[in-house]
Coordinates of all heavy atoms in Angstrom, one line a residue:
K332 N -1.9 13.3 8.4 CA -2.7 14.5 8.4 C -2.8 15.2 7.0 O -3.7 15.8 6.6 CB -2.1 15.6 9.4 CG -2.3 15.2 10.8 CD -1.7 16.2 11.7 CE -1.9 15.9 13.2 NZ -1.3 16.9 14.1
L333 N -1.7 15.0 6.2 CA -1.7 15.5 4.9 C -1.3 14.5 3.9 O -0.5 13.6 4.2 CB -0.6 16.7 4.8 CG -0.9 18.0 5.6 CD1 0.2 19.0 5.3 CD2 -2.2 18.6 5.3
A334 N -1.8 14.6 2.7 CA -1.3 13.8 1.6 C -0.5 14.7 0.7 O -0.9 15.7 0.2 CB -2.5 13.2 0.8
R335 N 0.8 14.3 0.4 CA 1.7 15.2 -0.3 C 1.4 15.0 -1.8 O 1.1 13.9 -2.3 CB 3.1 14.8 0.0 CG 3.5 15.1 1.4 CD 5.0 14.8 1.7 NE 5.8 15.7 0.9 CZ 7.1 15.6 1.0 NH1 7.7 14.7 1.7 NH2 7.9 16.5 0.3
T336 N 1.6 16.1 -2.5 CA 1.6 16.1 -4.0 C 2.8 16.7 -4.5 O 3.6 17.2 -3.7 CB 0.4 16.9 -4.5 OG1 0.5 18.2 -4.2 CG2 -1.0 16.3 -3.9
Y337 N 3.1 16.6 -5.8 CA 4.3 17.2 -6.4 C 4.3 18.7 -6.1 O 3.4 19.4 -6.6 CB 4.4 16.9 -7.8 CG 5.6 17.5 -8.5 CD1 6.8 16.8 -8.3 CD2 5.6 18.7 -9.2 CE1 8.0 17.3 -8.9 CE2 6.8 19.2 -9.7 CZ 8.0 18.5 -9.6 OH 9.1 19.0 -10.1
G338 N 5.2 19.2 -5.4 CA 5.4 20.6 -5.1 C 4.5 21.2 -4.0 O 4.6 22.4 -3.7
G339 N 3.7 20.4 -3.3 CA 2.9 20.9 -2.3 C 2.3 19.9 -1.4 O 2.8 18.8 -1.3
A340 N 1.3 20.3 -0.7 CA 0.6 19.4 0.3 C -0.9 19.6 0.1 O -1.4 20.7 0.0 CB 1.0 19.7 1.7
L341 N -1.6 18.5 0.1 CA -3.1 18.5 0.0 C -3.7 18.0 1.3 O -3.4 16.8 1.7 CB -3.6 17.7 -1.2 CG -5.1 17.7 -1.5 CD1 -5.5 19.1 -1.9 CD2 -5.4 16.7 -2.5
A342 N -4.5 18.7 2.0 CA -5.1 18.3 3.2 C -6.0 17.1 2.9 O -6.8 17.1 2.0 CB -5.9 19.4 3.8
I343 N -5.9 16.1 3.7 CA -6.8 14.9 3.5 C -8.2 15.2 3.9 O -9.1 14.7 3.2 CB -6.2 13.7 4.3 CG1 -4.9 13.3 3.8 CG2 -7.2 12.5 4.3 CD1 -4.2 12.2 4.6
G344 N -8.4 16.0 4.9 CA -9.8 16.4 5.2 C -10.7 15.3 5.6 O -10.5 14.6 6.6
A345 N -11.7 15.1 4.7 CA -12.8 14.1 5.0 C -12.3 12.7 4.9 O -13.0 11.7 5.2 CB -14.0 14.3 4.2
H346 N -11.1 12.5 4.3 CA -10.5 11.1 4.0 C -9.2 11.0 4.7 O -8.2 10.8 4.1 CB -10.4 10.9 2.5 CG -11.7 11.0 1.8 ND1 -12.6 10.0 1.9 CD2 -12.2 11.9 1.0 CE1 -13.7 10.3 1.1 NE2 -13.4 11.5 0.6
P347 N -9.1 11.0 6.0 CA -7.8 10.8 6.7 C -7.3 9.4 6.5 O -8.1 8.5 6.4 CB -8.2 11.1 8.2 CG -9.6 10.7 8.3 CD -10.2 11.2 7.0
E348 N -6.0 9.3 6.4 CA -5.4 8.0 6.2 C -5.4 7.3 7.6 O -4.9 7.7 8.6 CB -3.9 8.2 5.8 CG -3.2 6.8 5.6 CD -1.8 7.0 5.2 OE1 -1.3 8.1 5.2 OE2 -1.1 6.0 4.9
A349 N -6.1 6.2 7.6 CA -6.2 5.4 8.8 C -4.9 4.7 9.1 O -4.2 4.3 8.2 CB -7.3 4.3 8.6
S350 N -4.6 4.6 10.4 CA -3.4 3.9 10.8 C -3.6 2.4 10.6 O -4.7 1.9 10.4 CB -3.1 4.1 12.3 OG -4.1 3.5 13.1
L351 N -2.5 1.7 10.6 CA -2.5 0.2 10.4 C -3.3 -0.4 11.5 O -4.1 -1.3 11.3 CB -1.1 -0.3 10.4 CG -1.0 -1.9 10.3 CD1 -1.6 -2.3 9.0 CD2 0.5 -2.3 10.5
R352 N -3.2 0.1 12.7 CA -4.0 -0.5 13.8 C -5.5 -0.3 13.6 O -6.2 -1.2 13.9 CB -3.5 0.2 15.1 CG -4.2 -0.4 16.4 CD -3.7 0.4 17.6 NE -2.3 0.3 17.8 CZ -1.7 -0.6 18.4 NH1 -2.4 -1.6 19.0 NH2 -0.4 -0.6 18.6
Q353 N -5.9 0.8 13.1 CA -7.3 1.0 12.8 C -7.8 0.1 11.7 O -8.9 -0.4 11.7 CB -7.5 2.5 12.4 CG -7.3 3.5 13.5 CD -7.3 4.9 13.0 OE1 -6.7 5.2 12.0 NE2 -8.0 5.8 13.7
R354 N -7.0 -0.1 10.7 CA -7.4 -0.9 9.5 C -7.5 -2.4 9.8 O -8.2 -3.1 9.0 CB -6.5 -0.6 8.3 CG -6.7 0.7 7.7 CD -5.7 1.0 6.5 NE -4.4 1.4 7.0 CZ -3.3 1.0 6.5 NH1 -3.3 0.3 5.4 NH2 -2.1 1.5 6.9
I355 N -6.8 -2.9 10.8 CA -6.8 -4.3 11.0 C -8.2 -4.9 11.3 O -8.6 -5.9 10.8 CB -5.9 -4.7 12.2 CG1 -4.4 -4.5 11.7 CG2 -6.1 -6.1 12.7 CD1 -3.4 -4.7 12.8
G356 N -9.0 -4.1 12.0 CA -10.4 -4.6 12.3 C -11.4 -4.3 11.2 O -12.6 -4.8 11.3
E357 N -11.1 -3.6 10.2 CA -12.0 -3.3 9.1 C -12.1 -4.5 8.1 O -11.1 -5.0 7.7 CB -11.6 -2.0 8.4 CG -11.6 -0.8 9.3 CD -11.0 0.4 8.5 OE1 -10.5 0.3 7.4 OE2 -11.1 1.5 9.1
A358 N -13.4 -4.8 7.7 CA -13.6 -5.9 6.7 C -12.7 -7.2 7.1 O -12.1 -7.8 6.3 CB -13.3 -5.4 5.3
F359 N -12.7 -7.5 8.4 CA -11.8 -8.6 8.9 C -12.0 -9.9 8.2 O -11.1 -10.5 7.7 CB -12.0 -8.7 10.4 CG -11.1 -9.8 11.0 CD1 -9.8 -9.5 11.3 CD2 -11.6 -11.1 11.3 CE1 -9.0 -10.4 11.9 CE2 -10.8 -12.0 11.8 CZ -9.4 -11.7 12.1
E360 N -13.3 -10.4 8.1 CA -13.5 -11.7 7.4 C -13.1 -11.7 6.0 O -12.5 -12.7 5.4 CB -15.0 -12.1 7.6 CG -15.4 -12.4 9.0 CD -16.8 -12.8 9.1 OE1 -17.5 -12.8 8.1 OE2 -17.2 -13.2 10.2
E361 N -13.4 -10.6 5.3 CA -13.0 -10.5 3.9 C -11.5 -10.5 3.7 O -11.0 -11.2 2.8 CB -13.6 -9.2 3.3 CG -15.1 -9.1 3.1 CD -15.8 -8.8 4.4 OE1 -15.1 -8.6 5.5 OE2 -17.1 -8.6 4.4
K362 N -10.8 -9.8 4.5 CA -9.4 -9.8 4.4 C -8.8 -11.2 4.7 O -7.8 -11.6 4.1 CB -8.8 -8.8 5.4 CG -9.1 -7.3 5.0 CD -8.6 -6.3 6.0 CE -8.9 -4.9 5.6 NZ -8.5 -3.9 6.6
Q363 N -9.4 -11.9 5.7 CA -8.9 -13.2 6.0 C -9.1 -14.2 4.8 O -8.2 -15.0 4.5 CB -9.6 -13.8 7.2 CG -9.3 -13.0 8.5 CD -7.8 -13.0 8.9 OE1 -7.2 -14.1 8.8 NE2 -7.2 -11.9 9.2
A364 N -10.2 -14.1 4.2 CA -10.5 -14.9 3.0 C -9.6 -14.6 1.9 O -9.1 -15.5 1.2 CB -12.0 -14.7 2.6
I365 N -9.3 -13.4 1.6 CA -8.4 -13.0 0.5 C -7.0 -13.5 0.9 O -6.3 -14.0 0.0 CB -8.4 -11.4 0.4 CG1 -9.7 -11.0 -0.2 CG2 -7.2 -11.0 -0.5 CD1 -9.9 -9.4 -0.1
A366 N -6.6 -13.4 2.1 CA -5.3 -13.8 2.5 C -5.1 -15.3 2.4 O -4.1 -15.8 1.9 CB -5.0 -13.4 4.0
Q367 N -6.2 -16.1 2.7 CA -6.1 -17.5 2.6 C -5.9 -17.9 1.1 O -5.2 -18.8 0.8 CB -7.3 -18.2 3.2 CG -7.4 -18.1 4.7 CD -6.3 -18.9 5.4 OE1 -5.9 -19.9 4.9 NE2 -5.8 -18.4 6.5
W368 N -6.7 -17.3 0.2 CA -6.5 -17.6 -1.2 C -5.1 -17.2 -1.7 O -4.5 -18.0 -2.4 CB -7.5 -16.7 -2.0 CG -7.5 -17.1 -3.5 CD1 -8.2 -18.0 -4.1 CD2 -6.6 -16.5 -4.5 NE1 -7.9 -18.1 -5.4 CE2 -6.9 -17.2 -5.7 CE3 -5.7 -15.5 -4.4 CZ2 -6.2 -16.8 -6.9 CZ3 -5.0 -15.2 -5.6 CH2 -5.3 -15.8 -6.8
A369 N -4.6 -16.1 -1.3 CA -3.3 -15.7 -1.7 C -2.2 -16.7 -1.2 O -1.3 -17.0 -1.9 CB -3.0 -14.3 -1.2
A370 N -2.4 -17.1 0.0 CA -1.4 -18.0 0.6 C -1.4 -19.4 -0.2 O -0.3 -20.0 -0.3 CB -1.7 -18.3 2.1
A371 N -2.5 -19.7 -0.7 CA -2.6 -21.0 -1.4 C -1.9 -20.9 -2.8 O -1.6 -22.0 -3.4 CB -4.1 -21.4 -1.7
Q372 N -1.6 -19.7 -3.3 CA -0.9 -19.6 -4.5 C 0.6 -19.8 -4.3 O 1.3 -20.1 -5.3 CB -1.2 -18.2 -5.1 CG -2.6 -17.8 -5.2 CD -3.5 -18.9 -5.8 OE1 -3.3 -19.4 -6.9 NE2 -4.5 -19.2 -5.0
V373 N 1.1 -19.5 -3.2 CA 2.5 -19.5 -2.9 C 3.1 -21.0 -2.9 O 2.5 -21.8 -2.2 CB 2.9 -18.8 -1.6 CG1 4.4 -18.9 -1.3 CG2 2.4 -17.4 -1.6
Q374 N 4.1 -21.2 -3.6 CA 4.7 -22.6 -3.8 C 6.0 -22.7 -3.0 O 6.7 -21.7 -2.9 CB 4.9 -22.9 -5.2 CG 3.7 -22.8 -6.1 CD 2.5 -23.7 -5.7 OE1 2.8 -24.9 -5.5 NE2 1.4 -23.2 -5.5
P375 N 6.3 -23.9 -2.5 CA 7.6 -24.1 -1.8 C 8.8 -23.7 -2.7 O 8.8 -23.9 -3.9 CB 7.6 -25.6 -1.5 CG 6.2 -26.0 -1.5 CD 5.5 -25.1 -2.5
G376 N 9.8 -23.0 -2.1 CA 11.0 -22.6 -2.8 C 10.9 -21.3 -3.4 O 11.9 -20.8 -4.0
E377 N 9.7 -20.6 -3.4 CA 9.6 -19.3 -4.0 C 10.1 -18.2 -3.1 O 10.3 -18.3 -1.9 CB 8.1 -19.0 -4.3 CG 7.5 -19.9 -5.4 CD 6.1 -19.5 -5.8 OE1 5.4 -18.8 -5.0 OE2 5.8 -19.8 -7.0
S378 N 10.5 -17.1 -3.8 CA 10.8 -15.9 -3.2 C 9.7 -14.9 -3.5 O 9.4 -14.6 -4.6 CB 12.1 -15.3 -3.8 OG 12.5 -14.1 -3.2
I379 N 9.1 -14.3 -2.4 CA 7.9 -13.5 -2.5 C 8.2 -12.2 -1.8 O 9.0 -12.1 -0.9 CB 6.7 -14.1 -2.0 CG1 6.7 -14.4 -0.5 CG2 6.4 -15.5 -2.8 CD1 5.4 -14.8 0.1
L380 N 7.5 -11.1 -2.3 CA 7.6 -9.8 -1.7 C 6.2 -9.4 -1.1 O 5.2 -9.5 -1.8 CB 8.0 -8.8 -2.8 CG 8.0 -7.3 -2.4 CD1 9.0 -7.1 -1.2 CD2 8.4 -6.5 -3.6
L381 N 6.2 -9.1 0.1 CA 4.9 -8.7 0.8 C 5.0 -7.2 1.1 O 5.8 -6.8 1.9 CB 4.7 -9.5 2.1 CG 4.6 -11.0 2.0 CD1 4.2 -11.6 3.3 CD2 3.6 -11.4 0.9
D382 N 4.0 -6.5 0.6 CA 3.8 -5.1 0.9 C 3.4 -4.9 2.3 O 3.1 -5.8 3.1 CB 2.8 -4.5 -0.1 CG 2.7 -3.0 -0.1 OD1 3.6 -2.3 0.4 OD2 1.7 -2.5 -0.7
G383 N 3.2 -3.6 2.7 CA 2.6 -3.3 4.0 C 1.0 -3.4 3.9 O 0.5 -3.7 2.9
G384 N 0.4 -3.1 5.0 CA -1.1 -3.1 5.1 C -1.7 -4.2 5.8 O -1.0 -5.2 6.1
S385 N -2.9 -4.1 6.2 CA -3.6 -5.1 7.0 C -3.9 -6.4 6.2 O -3.8 -7.5 6.8 CB -4.9 -4.5 7.6 OG -5.7 -4.0 6.6
T386 N -4.3 -6.3 5.0 CA -4.6 -7.5 4.2 C -3.4 -8.3 3.9 O -3.4 -9.5 4.0 CB -5.4 -7.1 2.9 OG1 -6.4 -6.2 3.2 CG2 -5.9 -8.3 2.2
V387 N -2.3 -7.6 3.5 CA -1.1 -8.3 3.3 C -0.5 -8.9 4.6 O 0.1 -9.9 4.6 CB -0.1 -7.4 2.5 CG1 1.2 -8.2 2.3 CG2 -0.6 -6.9 1.2
G388 N -0.8 -8.1 5.7 CA -0.4 -8.6 7.0 C -1.1 -9.9 7.3 O -0.5 -10.8 7.9
A389 N -2.4 -10.0 6.9 CA -3.1 -11.3 7.1 C -2.6 -12.4 6.3 O -2.5 -13.6 6.7 CB -4.6 -11.0 6.8
L390 N -2.1 -12.1 5.1 CA -1.4 -13.1 4.3 C -0.1 -13.6 5.0 O 0.2 -14.8 5.0 CB -1.0 -12.5 2.9 CG -0.1 -13.3 2.0 CD1 -0.6 -14.7 1.8 CD2 0.1 -12.5 0.7
A391 N 0.7 -12.6 5.6 CA 1.9 -13.1 6.3 C 1.5 -14.0 7.4 O 2.2 -15.0 7.6 CB 2.6 -11.8 6.9
H392 N 0.4 -13.8 8.1 CA 0.0 -14.7 9.2 C -0.4 -16.1 8.6 O 0.0 -17.1 9.2 CB -1.2 -14.1 9.9 CG -1.7 -14.9 11.1 ND1 -1.0 -15.0 12.3 CD2 -2.7 -15.8 11.2 CE1 -1.7 -15.8 13.1 NE2 -2.7 -16.3 12.4
A393 N -1.0 -16.1 7.4 CA -1.4 -17.3 6.8 C -0.2 -18.1 6.3 O -0.3 -19.3 6.2 CB -2.4 -17.0 5.7
L394 N 0.9 -17.5 6.1 CA 2.1 -18.1 5.6 C 3.0 -18.7 6.7 O 4.0 -19.3 6.4 CB 2.9 -17.2 4.7 CG 2.3 -16.8 3.4 CD1 3.2 -15.6 2.8 CD2 2.2 -17.9 2.4
R395 N 2.6 -18.5 7.9 CA 3.4 -18.8 9.1 C 3.8 -20.3 9.1 O 4.9 -20.7 9.5 CB 2.8 -18.4 10.4 CG 2.9 -17.0 10.7 CD 1.9 -16.6 11.9 NE 2.2 -17.4 13.1 CZ 3.1 -17.0 14.0 NH1 3.8 -15.9 13.9 NH2 3.3 -17.8 15.0
T396 N 2.9 -21.2 8.6 CA 3.1 -22.6 8.6 C 3.8 -23.1 7.4 O 4.0 -24.3 7.3 CB 1.8 -23.4 8.8 OG1 0.8 -23.0 7.8 CG2 1.1 -23.0 10.2
H397 N 4.0 -22.2 6.4 CA 4.6 -22.6 5.2 C 6.1 -22.8 5.5 O 6.7 -22.2 6.4 CB 4.5 -21.6 4.1 CG 3.1 -21.6 3.4 ND1 1.9 -21.6 4.1 CD2 2.8 -21.7 2.1 CE1 0.9 -21.6 3.3 NE2 1.4 -21.7 2.1
G398 N 6.8 -23.6 4.6 CA 8.2 -23.7 4.8 C 8.9 -23.5 3.4 O 8.3 -23.4 2.4
N399 N 10.2 -23.4 3.5 CA 11.0 -23.3 2.3 C 10.6 -22.1 1.4 O 10.3 -22.1 0.2 CB 11.0 -24.5 1.4 CG 12.0 -24.5 0.3 OD1 13.0 -23.8 0.3 ND2 11.7 -25.3 -0.8
L400 N 10.5 -20.9 2.1 CA 10.2 -19.7 1.5 C 11.2 -18.6 1.8 O 11.8 -18.6 2.9 CB 8.8 -19.2 1.9 CG 7.6 -19.9 1.5 CD1 6.3 -19.2 2.1 CD2 7.5 -19.9 0.0
T401 N 11.3 -17.6 0.9 CA 12.1 -16.4 1.2 C 11.1 -15.2 1.1 O 10.5 -15.1 0.0 CB 13.3 -16.2 0.3 OG1 14.2 -17.2 0.5 CG2 13.9 -14.8 0.6

Side-chain angles (χ1 to χ4, degrees):
K332 293 181 178 179
L333 295 181
R335 296 184 66 183
T336 64
Y337 182 79
L341 183 67
I343 293 175
H346 299 285
E348 181 183 7
S350 69
L351 178 63
R352 186 182 299 274
Q353 291 171 317
R354 284 179 280 146
I355 287 175
E357 298 173 351
F359 180 81
E360 292 183 355
E361 290 83 355
K362 291 176 181 178
Q363 294 300 312
I365 291 169
Q367 290 295 327
W368 184 90
Q372 311 313 304
V373 178
Q374 304 300 309
E377 289 188 337
S378 178
I379 65 173
L380 176 60
L381 300 186
D382 190 13
S385 55
T386 309
V387 181
L390 169 57
H392 183 79
L394 290 171
R395 284 168 57 89
T396 57
H397 284 51
N399 191 22
L400 290 179
T401 297

